[in-house]
Amino acid sequence: MLIAQIKVLLKESVLDPQGQAVEKALGTLGYNNIEKVRVGKYLEIMLAENNREAANKQVREMCERLLINAVIEDYTFTLVEV
Amino acid sequence: MLIAQIKVLLKESVLDPQGQAVEKALGTLGYNNIEKVRVGKYLEIMLAENNREAANKQVREMCERLLINAVIEDYTFTLVEV
């Protein structure tokens, strides 16, 4: 069994208002060493699959078909054995 | 400079309808080896801080004060140097 841990963020060039809001809120709370905040999605998908190569291919395909909007989002993932 | 990569998921005991929706959608697309999907938040916070210990403490505090709802969410984070 493998778990795919997928991190999704807006591309650098895309405005991230949620990140800006968090950044401002942290500043208001007195944290003045915050340089930048980006807010995105995190998914964990448990796969009944033991072949890492097949899982890699499948996760990439699922991201591109359903999970990610490739126009505005970037993603990275890692596979963890359970 | 350190980047805190924060992963947030609903606690195991909390219903995750977004995860269930993705799970169902992946099934509809023909992926029949999906055991479970959890959907959460992902944050990257860039800190003007080089002391890992101080950064660790600060990130935990920021999570508990603002970023996380400790009643229903769990979080983990890692610090990456840039």
Side-chain angles (χ1 to χ4, degrees), chain B residues 11-45:
Chain B
K11 283 183 198 285
E12 274 300 325
S13 55
V14 178
L15 192 69
D16 178 2
Q18 205 183 346
Q20 290 176 340
V22 171
E23 203 174 309
K24 206 174 156 192
L26 288 171
T28 309
L29 286 176
Y31 301 104
N32 45 30
N33 59 351
I34 310 293
E35 294 288 321
K36 191 168 196 182
V37 180
R38 307 282 288 171
V39 179
K41 275 185 300 188
Y42 175 64
L43 293 102
E44 280 192 356
I45 301 184

Side-chain angles (χ1 to χ4, degrees), chain A residues 5 7 22 29 31 33-38 40-48 58 61 65, chain B residues 5 7 22 29 31 33 35-38 40-48 58 61 65 67:
Chain A
Q5 302 182 326
K7 303 170 185 172
V22 171
L29 287 176
Y31 301 105
N33 60 352
I34 309 295
E35 294 285 322
K36 191 168 195 181
V37 180
R38 308 280 291 172
K41 275 186 300 188
Y42 175 64
L43 294 104
E44 281 192 357
I45 302 184
M46 197 183 285
L47 295 168
Q58 185 186 334
E61 195 184 284
R65 283 180 75 187
Chain B
Q5 302 183 327
K7 303 170 184 173
V22 171
L29 286 176
Y31 301 104
N33 59 351
E35 294 288 321
K36 191 168 196 182
V37 180
R38 307 282 288 171
K41 275 185 300 188
Y42 175 64
L43 293 102
E44 280 192 356
I45 301 184
M46 198 183 285
L47 295 168
Q58 184 185 335
E61 196 186 282
R65 284 180 73 187
L67 305 172

